[in-house]
Amino acid sequence: MKTKLQLFCICILLTFTGLYAGDHEIQWGTMDKAGGTTNSYMPLGWIGGNYYAVQIDGKDGLLMNINGKMDIAAQTELITGEKKFDADVAYLRNGEINLLMSEYESGEKTNYVRAVTFNLAGKPTKTKLKKIAAVKVEKNTEKSDFQYKFSGDSSKILIVHEHDMKGDDEAKITLTVVNTENYEELWKTSASFPYEDKNFTLLSAAVENDGDVAMLALIKGEEGSKLEKYSTSIFSFIGTSGKFDEKNIKMEGKFISSARVKFVNSKRVLITGFYNDLTGKGKSEGIEGAFMAVADPANLEDFDMHIKVMDASTKAAISPSGAFAKFFNADELNAYTIQEMNEEKDGSGYVIAEQRRIIQDEEQSSVSRTYYFNHLIIFRYNSVQEIDWISTIPKMQSTTISTPKLGIGPLSVWYFPGYLTRAAYKYNSFVSTAKDGDIYILYNDHKDNGDARSLKDVKMMVNKNKALATLVTVGGGGDWEKEALFRGKDLDVILETSSCLPIVGTSFTISAERGKNLQYGKLNL
């Protein structure tokens, strides 16, 4: 009996600590009753051999300390001084945990961002709910989320707030640049742009280590048969005056559907995105190719661009066809958000974009949002920013969240707090890293997708019990292979994608659930 029991225990141990993923092994820590399906997590990173993350359950915040064996070593409540714990951003800097929180003060009609810091034991340090940004607004509809952008060395934060103007009024955006060393404001401006608000869409923003800012925006116009009036502009804010220069990014006969900007070496900006050919059908044809450009923010005329056409088979893999196509419109075909721009020391790198969209529905007493995280487009560029290849990985994921309305009828208001929005991302999207020329992408696939290579073949992952944690390896020419890691239903474990952390060139730190239990693991590459 003793021998049988020992064998049984050994089998269980092997099952939970030695789960193999093809050529990759996951080192699992011990399960702990520290989780919950309604909890969300914000990864912080590794320091001193331990991994740290923030857990939020909608009311309280806990600092999670995970040791090198991937066991949960400690949980410490983070006391911010607020009645309810929430955070927009959590990050590590100089050995301290930094949280940024936003809130709307209705009496002042002002949106605030506050900062609070803790040591690695979860004890408050010198920064305690310090106001680091304040934006005066005119109406409740401007209680929108802030956008936060970090400089390359994390010494600066750019806080972006888009104002909800009347359709014919000029577009207006408030930019605040803050030093992370002391959370003092470096400069701030509420910039108005010479375009009607209804025709102005912010695509991307970035901040340099010294506080300079670059922005990209899509300028819409009247839709003619060839969409001539659509354009994309880059705006450069040099110094602390708040004044900007503008350059229209022209691609003859083409329409830029999405783009992103990032500061790179020598204080230059790298711009990447996708374009469509301006045909008689306009945007409805979907993405035709990708581009890379490098510009001098101090002299926007110093501008160098390279483009690459997407081949027919790659485009077909992510384009709807037949009866399915009628469910997609032009905006959805073009709704690719560039999630990652990862540059290497020699100036080369890779880009990953994801097709994202949100559908909002209002009922009498509540508002719901369905978040879609669909297909991936990946491309690699060389040290002179020429695109070597473009590849796609078809996938489909969605989650719906709801929030109650406060008030009656047209006077009612609603708010999606940060923890609830994070719940929409919990099992969705992806994380990536690169090693030895290969790109590794980790995400939840539908268990029945197998080696599906096109949109018509993939099923949507909407239920975590049908999720399959998947690792995709993209090779040097854009060819890729899928590798099954673990199943939600079979093992009662699910990859919490938004809570996972890639370690450049080495591994993924994985956050997973087993029912109401929490478990961490490491996937070495």
Side-chain angles (χ1 to χ4, degrees), residues 145-163:
D145 293 335
F146 287 95
Q147 296 181 43
Y148 304 88
K149 309 293 181 181
F150 285 83
S151 61
D153 63 359
S154 300
S155 66
K156 306 292 186 300
I157 304 174
L158 168 64
I159 302 172
V160 182
H161 186 282
E162 295 184 72
H163 291 268

Side-chain angles (χ1 to χ4, degrees), residues 93-164:
R93 179 169 168 78
N94 294 333
E96 286 192 331
I97 297 157
N98 295 253
L99 303 180
L100 304 183
M101 300 171 285
S102 62
E103 64 176 337
Y104 174 67
E105 293 284 356
S106 57
E108 303 176 35
K109 287 191 175 181
T110 301
N111 287 327
Y112 286 107
V113 177
R114 291 182 169 89
V116 60
T117 57
F118 299 87
N119 61 26
L120 296 178
K123 302 298 182 183
T125 55
K126 59 183 179 181
T127 304
K128 300 177 181 179
L129 290 178
K130 182 175 182 177
K131 291 181 180 179
I132 64 172
V135 180
K136 202 81 172 177
V137 298
E138 296 299 326
K139 44 191 175 180
N140 289 341
T141 53
E142 290 191 79
K143 292 189 297 182
S144 60
D145 293 335
F146 287 95
Q147 296 181 43
Y148 304 88
K149 309 293 181 181
F150 285 83
S151 61
D153 63 359
S154 300
S155 66
K156 306 292 186 300
I157 304 174
L158 168 64
I159 302 172
V160 182
H161 186 282
E162 295 184 72
H163 291 268
D164 183 14

